[in-house]
Amino acid sequence: MRVRFGDCILDTDTRELTRAGEPIRVAPKVFGLLELLLERRPKAVSKEQIHELLWPRTFVTDTALTTVVKEARAAIGDDAQNSRFIRTVAGFGYAFTEEVRPERASSRTAPCYRIAAQGSEVNLADGENVLGRGSESVLWIEHETVSRRHARILVEEDRAILEDLESKNGTFLRGARLDGPTELVDGDEFQLGDVPVRFRRYATPDSTRSAAGRR
């Protein structure tokens, strides 16, 4: 099973979790919890069922499960107070609530896309990459002219498409304000409000896409 939810991809064959294109190291029990909840979605899974899978024939307290859930949420960028992915079912267990879609394995010769702004640089993941001041942004940009969900870059197969998300101060590319989705080319510099962002495309093997740091 290889599925995408938000900016995360979980691959149960390779036992890998990535977030915004970067590998996330998690403990085996954390991975096991995510795998179980994704397989049973949208059904709720009881604490007893989770205990049987993660700690077979072993007695542990609910504190151990709470810790694993906390680590799983941290790994996928979830928030217990305003949960988007893992919902607590009071008095019963947990359920995975976010939309999930199958993810095709990347080609070994797939290009690598990166953006840089304000001294930070990140890889872009396949699918939607939101840019702005919000917590869901793959590159958090703190500036008064940048909206929470300012723009997005949609990565699909061998191209990356920039689109403004009805931002207050606009997205600019090649000297003009965007009025529709536009494909980016290597070396493009676009602006989110007054903030310049550099786009790069590297024709490197897929195995190198996670070589650089996320921030």
Side-chain angles (χ1 to χ4, degrees), residues 9 30 55-56 60 73-74 76 92 109 114 156 179 187 190 197:
I9 296 175
V30 173
W55 296 279
V60 294
R73 283 175 168 152
I76 62 179
F92 183 77
T109 58
R114 295 180 66 80
E156 50 183 26
D179 57 6
F190 58 91
V197 182

Side-chain angles (χ1 to χ4, degrees), residues 36 40 44-54 92:
L36 175 62
R40 302 286 180 86
V45 183
S46 69
K47 293 180 181 179
E48 290 75 14
Q49 290 174 308
I50 298 173
H51 276 286
E52 289 176 5
L53 175 69
L54 301 185
F92 183 77

Side-chain angles (χ1 to χ4, degrees), residues 27-40:
K29 294 191 186 304
V30 173
F31 193 96
L33 174 66
L34 290 171
E35 183 179 12
L36 175 62
L37 295 180
L38 283 163
E39 287 179 346
R40 302 286 180 86

Side-chain angles (χ1 to χ4, degrees), residues 115-122 139-141 190 192 195-198:
I115 55 172
Q118 295 184 322
S120 296
E121 186 172 354
V122 296
L139 179 59
W140 186 66
I141 302 175
F190 58 91
L192 305 181
V195 178
V197 182
R198 173 72 68 176

Side-chain angles (χ1 to χ4, degrees), residues 84-144:
R84 176 184 175 188
F85 300 116
I86 300 176
R87 176 173 63 91
T88 299
V89 183
F92 183 77
Y94 300 91
F96 200 91
T97 59
E98 177 70 2
E99 178 183 354
V100 172
R101 59 183 185 273
E103 182 73 10
R104 185 179 62 185
S106 300
S107 168
R108 294 290 295 176
T109 58
C112 170
Y113 301 105
R114 295 180 66 80
I115 55 172
Q118 295 184 322
S120 296
E121 186 172 354
V122 296
N123 285 339
L124 298 179
D126 293 336
E128 182 182 70
N129 298 267
V130 175
L131 308 177
R133 291 190 292 114
S135 60
E136 63 188 295
S137 176
V138 298
L139 179 59
W140 186 66
I141 302 175
E142 179 58 37
H143 195 275
E144 60 184 4

